[in-house]
């Protein structure tokens, strides 16, 4: 979840439910403080994202935003886990933030709809059909 900025923005724009997964207590504290400030509630889970996603298997999300650490092996593992545990709803969006030198992941089970570049950051938008 990092600072939680993306999820907090989603809540402020009307998202019904947001789940934050973060392993750093400092970031969790910031997210919870900001939830209080914007008078919204959300599920904030402390833990490793890969282990936590396995635990919430069976729950479906319309949008999943993922910003794993750049240039790590976690991106492909995260991608596979989301698809294998069917966490993304049909017609749901998986938005993956990654380093501009990393190629978007190609997968036959989900379509890469479009890519946006912001400096050294790429947002790859995948649509599940």
């Amino acid at each position: 979840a990092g600072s939680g900025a993306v999820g907090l923005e989603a809540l402020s724009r009307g998202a019904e439910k947001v789940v934050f997964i973060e392993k750093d207590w400092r970031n969790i504290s910031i997210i919870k403080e900001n939830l209080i400030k914007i008078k919204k509630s959300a599920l904030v889970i402390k833990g490793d994202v890969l282990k936590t996603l396995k635990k919430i298997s069976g729950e479906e999300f319309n949008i999943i935003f993922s910003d794993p650490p750049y240039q790590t092996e976690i991106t492909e593992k995260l991608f596979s886990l989301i698809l294998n545990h069917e966490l993304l709803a049909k017609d749901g969006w998986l938005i993956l933030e990654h380093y501009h030198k990393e190629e978007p992941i190609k997968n036959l089970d989900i379509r890469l709809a479009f890519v946006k570049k912001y400096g050294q950051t790429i947002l790859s938008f995948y649509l599940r059909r």
Side-chain angles (χ1 to χ4, degrees), residues 32-75:
K32 288 182 176 183
E33 288 172 20
N34 286 326
L35 285 167
I36 292 167
K37 287 178 186 175
I38 66 169
K39 298 180 178 144
K40 299 285 183 179
S41 62
L43 179 58
V44 182
I45 302 171
K46 182 188 184 316
D48 174 81
V49 69
L50 296 176
K51 292 176 184 173
T52 302
L53 285 177
K54 288 176 187 174
K55 290 179 186 173
I56 62 172
S57 181
E59 197 160 342
E60 269 191 349
F61 298 92
N62 294 315
I63 300 171
I64 297 176
F65 180 84
S66 177
D67 179 12
Y70 286 178
Q71 299 175 313
T72 63
E73 296 173 6
I74 193 172
T75 304

Side-chain angles (χ1 to χ4, degrees), residues 68-110:
Y70 286 178
Q71 299 175 313
T72 63
E73 296 173 6
I74 193 172
T75 304
E76 287 192 36
K77 291 178 185 175
L78 185 66
F79 197 93
S80 294
L81 193 89
I82 289 168
L83 294 177
N84 293 338
H85 288 268
E86 298 186 5
L87 293 165
L88 188 63
K90 188 174 190 257
D91 295 324
W93 288 93
L94 170 58
I95 305 161
L96 183 63
E97 183 174 326
H98 56 94
Y99 189 58
H100 74 283
K101 291 185 179 180
E102 294 175 342
E103 288 293 316
I105 294 172
K106 306 270 193 295
N107 186 300
L108 297 175
D109 297 326
I110 191 167

